[in-house]
Amino acid sequence: AQSVTQLDSQVPVFEEAPVELRCNYSSSVSVYLFWYVQYPNQGLQLLLKYLSGSTLVKGINGFEAEFNKSQTSFHLRKPSVHISDTAEYFCAVTPVSALSGGSYIPTFGRGTSLIVHP
Amino acid sequence: NAGVTQTPKFRVLKTGQSMTLLCAQDMNHEYMYWYRQDPGMGLRLIHYSVGEGTTAKGEVPDGYNVSRLKKQNFLLGLESAAPSQTSVYFCASRRRQVWEQYFGPGTRLTVT
């Protein structure tokens, strides 16, 4: 089984400031990691993902995240936020190996609300 | 491509009523998922399907049933709605061996 902890439920920040949204996970197997963004009254869309290779991954809209295996973390960062980045952000993991039954059940964190003030 | 669509977008039910939520995808994805989203709880998996004709329980399956008779459709049923099922429901799909999910726009369900 795996679990995902998003350490901040809400992060207020001023426009053009940097931001970091924190995500830690625990799992008994190796996992793939994801960040999704949900704009108000919309579904989720993929921001970025880590499957293998370089631990620094870049996504859409200027976001990037770094996978740290020893700290089991996958924090999301942006050097300069815009008003339009105001949204809910979800960290998620999927096991690399199929669990019993041959499936790959994803687990989501509870979300971090990023609020960008002018 | 329309991607993942959900019908209806909004619904109000009285306790004890039944309804079916429809999810459709036109991307030929093998995997499909139903989640519910509640404030402060993130997304919780209700049921999922790894292919046509197969379904399995997720984290919170009680009170829901699902069917996947066609590859492109995944139906979520509530046989006897309860106020605890007031939530926003999201459907998602993905291709086998491609790990990111594609989400629908959601269905906001209120049970009074």
Side-chain angles (χ1 to χ4, degrees):
Chain A
Q2 61 262 2
S3 66
V4 177
T5 302
Q6 292 185 240
L7 296 154
D8 305 293
S9 60
Q10 205 171 83
V11 173
V13 65
F14 286 106
E15 194 173 19
E16 297 183 7
V19 70
E20 178 179 82
L21 306 184
R22 298 179 293 168
C23 173
N24 286 90
Y25 70 93
S26 67
S27 178
S28 55
V29 299
S30 295
V31 294
Y32 298 128
L33 300 114
F34 307 84
W35 275 99
Y36 289 86
V37 60
Q38 182 183 31
Y39 298 106
N41 299 313
Q42 295 186 26
L44 282 70
Q45 62 185 83
L46 183 71
L47 260 185
L48 49 77
K49 63 187 176 188
Y50 174 77
L51 303 183
S52 64
S54 171
T55 57
L56 182 64
V57 292
K58 294 188 184 300
I60 62 171
N61 300 340
F63 284 92
E64 63 181 32
E66 185 154 22
F67 170 52
N68 187 317
K69 189 173 182 179
S70 63
Q71 297 186 1
T72 59
S73 67
F74 191 53
H75 300 334
L76 181 70
R77 302 185 184 100
K78 186 169 182 178
S80 175
V81 295
H82 302 288
I83 295 284
S84 59
D85 292 323
T86 294
E88 192 84 12
Y89 292 79
F90 292 93
C91 182
V93 302
T94 297
V96 171
S97 301
L99 303 173
S100 61
S103 59
Y104 300 80
I105 300 176
T107 300
F108 284 79
R110 295 191 173 195
T112 297
S113 180
L114 176 64
I115 303 168
V116 181
H117 297 287
Chain B
N1 287 353
V4 180
T5 58
Q6 292 183 233
T7 309
K9 289 185 169 48
F10 303 93
R11 187 72 187 268
V12 178
L13 286 180
K14 293 186 191 272
T15 297
Q17 287 184 319
S18 64
M19 78 163 295
T20 300
L21 281 66
L22 170 63
C23 175
Q25 52 94 5
D26 60 2
M27 298 173 284
N28 202 34
H29 287 174
E30 292 84 4
Y31 288 66
M32 295 187 76
Y33 305 85
W34 274 109
Y35 296 92
R36 59 178 290 172
Q37 182 181 30
D38 302 292
M41 298 296 292
L43 271 73
R44 292 182 292 170
L45 183 64
I46 305 171
H47 286 279
Y48 65 98
S49 169
V50 301
E52 182 178 322
T54 70
T55 63
K57 294 180 181 179
E59 179 187 356
V60 289
D62 294 342
Y64 305 95
N65 56 77
V66 288
S67 65
R68 183 123 181 248
L69 299 179
K70 295 182 179 180
K71 186 177 184 179
Q72 64 267 33
N73 296 338
F74 194 29
L75 278 64
L76 178 71
L78 287 72
E79 290 186 349
S80 179
S84 60
Q85 294 177 305
T86 292
S87 188
V88 181
Y89 292 85
F90 287 99
C91 176
S93 70
R94 71 170 179 90
R95 188 178 299 282
R96 193 188 312 274
Q97 300 298 321
V98 180
W99 306 105
E100 63 260 37
Q101 298 177 65
Y102 292 79
F103 284 81
T107 295
R108 186 172 296 273
L109 175 66
T110 302
V111 183
T112 62

